[in-house]
Amino acid sequence: MSTSFLPIFPLPFPFVCFPSARLTIPLPRASGDALLDLIRDSDTQPVVAAIPLLPSNSYTLHEWGTAARITRLIRPASRYSNDSYTLTLQGISRVRLLENQSGSVRVDAIVERKVEYPLPDGVPSDKVVATFKASAFKLLDRLARDAAQQSKRDAYIKISNMVDEITDQKAPWMADVIMSGINVEYGDKLEYLAAAEVDDRLKRATTIFVKLTSISEVSQKIAQSVDESLSKQQKEFFLRQQLLAIQRELRNLNRSSSSSGPVVRNSLGDGPAAAGDKTSGSGSELDDDEQAEMDDMADIRTRIEAMAKDSEERKMAGSVEYGVIRNYLEWLTAIPWPSSSTTVQTSASLGTLRDRAFLANARTQLDADHFGLEKIKKRLIEYLAIVRLKELNAEKEVREHTEDSRDATTPEPQLAVAKAEQSIAGHNSGSSMPTIQVRDEAKPRQQLPKRGAKGPILLFVGPPGTGKTSLGQSIARALNRPFQRISLGGVRDEAEIRGHRRTYVASGPGSIAQALRKAGRPDPVILLDEIDKVGQSNVHGDPSAALLEVLDPEQNYNFTDHYINVPIDLSQVLFICTSNTLDTIAAPLLDRCEIVQLSGYTYDEKMHIARKFLLPKQLQANGLTTDHLTLTDPALLHIATHYTREAGVRSLERAIGAVARHKAVDWAEHVDSLDIGGDSATQEYNRVVEEHELEKILGIARWDEEEREREERRGLVYGLVVSGLGEGGILPVETTVVPGSGKLILTGSLGSVIKESGELALSWVKTHAFDLCITKSRAQDPLKVPDPIDIHLHLPAGAVKKDGPSAGIAMTCAFVSLLTGACVPSNVAMTGEVTLRGRVGPVGGIKEKVLGAHRAQITKVILPWGNRKDVEHDVPPEVRAEVVFVFVRTVEEALEAAFGPGAIAWRRNVMVMESRL
């Protein structure tokens, strides 16, 4: 036996390379780079020892392997991609690792080790070769018959011919070829690879071939028996269906023969029917139709009763179609259809609407659930009043229509007797007796008027945490209807609204049908939450377009779910939508909704909400009572002003919950420290939380007094802004002069609109520079005379995107202050759009901006004249009492209000001479 040193290449599980066989495997980047370096260092195709790893340990090499030549190594397309290498090896001969060299190895490293080549293959015995060929013939024949593709079948036949033609000396080589091309267990492959002696190798190959042939035969028998059983069941089911069809036809023939007898006799004039009854023919046809319907129903009832426990029909319940149809029927019967739903809950809802104190109870419910929001509550009361009136009017129409139909179908003598009986019974007992109605089949049945209140679709728009979802729950409680919430955030498939078609696997109805099933009534209150976060149009459809039919009162009475495929009446459903913004809602969808704006809460409202709702809720959630925790008003106000900065109250609730958890730990430790009871040491536990204790409990305040610590300096003006969460505040507009060439530099993550506002403000200042005593003549540019300069305008918080036209007058005042030297007082803030003519236009978000200015202790706010109504209607009275509002129409009025009367010298009396030809 000869020895040599070869680079060891570990073959990962489950790959094994046999001699005379070609193997292509993927490689990780580390192993591929190592092989690539080996190829570059070699002049010819390098030979490596491909040693498989043991299945029990991924880092231990097997004793035997194959000396293989690297014929191809494909690198990934890019060095930065995550694709793997592709390696192709050509087996040459078996090799064995020496005992002192075998063991663990790094998978991603190529190291040289000493290997031993076995002796050349000898000539095996005739008996072993004959047994090998017989097992190979049998296996290849079985594989050829089981192959699904013709190419594989031809390949197995070709190899079988080669086995028949090879000599005894080539039999070990053929065994390696066959072993590399069949699916063998990993352990059998390793045992076969370790067989260096030819007779032992052929015996092991024969054993593996016989094993695979037996497994294939058993699998074929099992599959054949299953097919025979299924075909027998299908044949039996087919014959039973034919038998049922024959029996049904025989019953129809018997029915038609039995019903034709009276008709023939009447047509011949036999009996009194031919003499006196002129409509006997038509009456018999109606009787035949009714009898046919009765017979069909009896047939269905008989078939259902015939489905015994062990019948063939019961056995067919295990099919796939059975589950699909059963699921569909369950959904079809579970949806509350208006005509089939129970009337107990609906009557309770109508009883709530009939109550004369309905609106008063609704106001009480809204006041108990929400503090403040007076305008919103007023609109909701109007909404509930409209719903009540429409429901009562619809009920009145149904009652009048029923009475008219009863009067029209009752003959005049019976109607007079019935009215007399009703009057006598009402006089005696105060209750009406039932009347006998005679139905006239000749008159068509009149359709009842459609019930339901088609009210407007309310869309609550406001920042997070302002109570939009809870308002929908309050409406449902006031109407005594079930409440269902559908979250539309991230919905990008139209099928999530309309449902999947039943042809798809695992299909189901949409969210609207699911909400109706959960509600159990056709008139629930459904809240479509986060409608502004619906996905845009894509390959799966447009969810916004699917909502158009749902939210249109003129269309949703005939809403079709793709899975149910039956029109569903949504006209009795009250839809309420919520949104944080209107920018991302499609215009047609927004047109179907009535927008109700919910602004942020004032600190006074937050204090009341915390006392009335949040603190009791957190005490109950953390296992405390009012005897265990008391928050002082200064501490609660400090939490609201320094630890939260939002329009809603969610962060405030979380902060209160943190305080409650801290006191819960203190109380638990206090109780555990007591030996007996807890009354004796109750005085040691301090239940009151003061303002100075908050930093120890909640940590350092997230917002300090930065916006209140303002300074009065040249070129600095405070504007009013609204953040993306709906929280208002003040933002300093900083300007400074730098040497330059007369340009305007704008920084602070500004959008295109706010940049245009800055250019407009500077253009207005340049135009009126002479009037403001900045220049000595109208032709001079204040940025170039006497020295060329640049103006740098910056809005702090550069990581936050800013855009909009509302900073126009703040920028104008900042430029005037920078160029004239006059300063705007630090207690003044302003907002408004500026035009090139010097007009001040109205802007949005007035309530949020004013509340933010009030929080920052601003005492004077300059607003456009067009926003005076917004201040009167939206700003709370307690805020209006503490802030001075100045409404301006022009920039000149804004400058006078900002700097004060006489602070800026104007050249108002200078005569300008114009030459006109």
Side-chain angles (χ1 to χ4, degrees), residues 462-464 532-533 579-583 645-647 721-729 800-803 848:
D532 57 324
K533 299 174 181 59
S579 170
N580 296 128
T581 180
L582 300 177
D583 300 334
R645 183 62 59 90
E646 59 173 353
V721 295
V722 179
S723 66
L725 298 177
E727 179 76 7
V800 180
K801 298 291 183 180
K802 310 173 189 67
D803 204 358
E848 291 80 3

Side-chain angles (χ1 to χ4, degrees), residues 132-394:
F132 163 73
K133 287 186 177 182
S135 62
F137 284 144
K138 194 171 183 179
L139 175 63
L140 293 173
D141 181 63
R142 172 62 60 183
L143 293 177
R145 283 188 292 175
D146 294 344
Q149 299 179 359
Q150 183 63 32
S151 59
K152 290 186 177 181
R153 192 178 300 112
D154 295 340
Y156 289 133
I157 294 174
K158 185 177 180 180
I159 296 175
S160 179
N161 295 332
M162 292 176 62
V163 172
D164 189 20
E165 296 174 358
I166 62 171
T167 61
D168 294 348
Q169 189 175 2
K170 288 290 186 179
W173 171 80
M174 180 55 67
D176 292 340
V177 173
I178 296 176
M179 284 293 298
S180 64
I182 60 178
N183 188 13
V184 186
E185 294 182 359
Y186 191 67
D188 294 340
K189 287 183 179 181
L190 295 182
E191 292 180 0
Y192 176 78
L193 183 64
E197 201 271 327
V198 290
D199 285 343
D200 185 22
R201 192 187 313 166
L202 292 180
K203 289 179 180 179
R204 293 188 181 184
T206 301
T207 303
I208 294 173
F209 292 169
V210 171
K211 177 182 177 181
L212 292 178
T213 305
S214 301
I215 293 175
S216 178
E217 290 177 352
V218 172
S219 301
Q220 183 67 22
K221 289 180 180 180
I222 293 175
Q224 185 176 1
S225 62
V226 171
D227 292 340
E228 290 177 357
S229 176
L230 290 177
S231 61
K232 182 180 179 181
Q233 291 181 1
Q234 292 174 356
K235 183 177 181 181
E236 183 179 357
F237 177 74
F238 179 70
L239 292 176
R240 286 180 178 274
Q241 293 296 323
Q242 283 187 334
L243 179 61
L244 291 175
I246 294 173
Q247 292 176 353
R248 188 183 306 110
E249 292 297 330
L250 290 175
R251 284 195 298 270
N252 292 336
L253 290 175
N254 294 333
R255 187 189 310 127
S256 60
S257 62
S258 62
S259 62
S260 60
V263 176
V264 173
R265 288 194 302 268
N266 290 337
S267 61
L268 293 175
D270 187 9
D277 190 1
K278 297 181 179 180
T279 61
S280 59
S282 60
S284 63
E285 291 177 359
L286 292 176
D287 293 340
D288 289 343
D289 293 339
E290 293 178 359
Q291 183 64 30
E293 292 180 1
M294 294 176 62
D295 292 340
D296 291 339
M297 294 302 296
D299 184 20
I300 294 174
R301 187 181 299 106
T302 304
R303 291 176 60 184
I304 293 176
E305 294 175 353
M307 293 177 67
K309 182 178 180 180
D310 297 329
S311 63
E312 189 65 28
E313 288 81 0
R314 289 288 188 184
K315 294 180 182 179
M316 292 304 295
S319 63
V320 179
E321 291 79 5
Y322 168 81
V324 173
I325 296 174
R326 181 181 179 88
N327 188 35
Y328 171 70
L329 293 177
E330 287 179 354
W331 272 103
L332 198 64
T333 55
I335 291 180
W337 304 99
S339 58
S340 61
S341 59
T342 57
T343 59
V344 178
Q345 296 177 341
T346 307
S347 301
S349 178
L350 287 176
T352 303
L353 294 175
R354 294 192 193 101
D355 190 0
R356 296 182 180 273
F358 169 74
L359 295 180
N361 296 335
R363 288 191 181 94
T364 304
Q365 183 71 48
L366 292 174
D367 292 336
D369 294 341
H370 303 274
F371 180 82
L373 304 177
E374 298 302 330
K375 291 183 61 178
I376 309 301
K377 293 179 181 178
K378 178 176 177 294
R379 180 63 187 90
L380 292 181
I381 291 298
E382 296 172 355
Y383 179 75
L384 294 176
I386 293 173
V387 171
R388 177 175 185 264
L389 292 177
K390 287 191 173 183
E391 288 284 358
L392 295 181
N393 291 337

Side-chain angles (χ1 to χ4, degrees), residues 114-139:
K114 191 175 182 180
V115 297
E116 183 181 44
Y117 289 93
L119 294 175
D121 294 340
V123 180
S125 61
D126 297 339
K127 183 178 180 180
V128 173
V129 173
T131 307
F132 163 73
K133 287 186 177 182
S135 62
F137 284 144
K138 194 171 183 179
L139 175 63

Side-chain angles (χ1 to χ4, degrees), residues 10-16 51-64 102-105 186-187 190-191:
L11 282 177
F13 176 83
F15 297 106
V16 176
I51 310 297
L53 296 171
L54 294 179
S56 60
N57 191 348
S58 60
Y59 296 100
T60 303
L61 295 174
H62 190 251
E63 182 181 2
W64 286 87
S102 63
S104 301
V105 69
Y186 191 67
L190 295 182
E191 292 180 0

Side-chain angles (χ1 to χ4, degrees), residues 794-839:
H794 177 70
L795 300 183
V800 180
K801 298 291 183 180
K802 310 173 189 67
D803 204 358
S806 60
I809 62 172
M811 292 180 175
T812 305
C813 293
F815 291 146
V816 172
S817 172
L818 181 66
L819 296 177
T820 60
C823 296
V824 177
S826 60
N827 65 333
V828 177
M830 61 196 72
T831 183
E833 181 181 1
V834 173
T835 67
L836 198 59
R837 297 178 300 158
R839 307 291 297 178

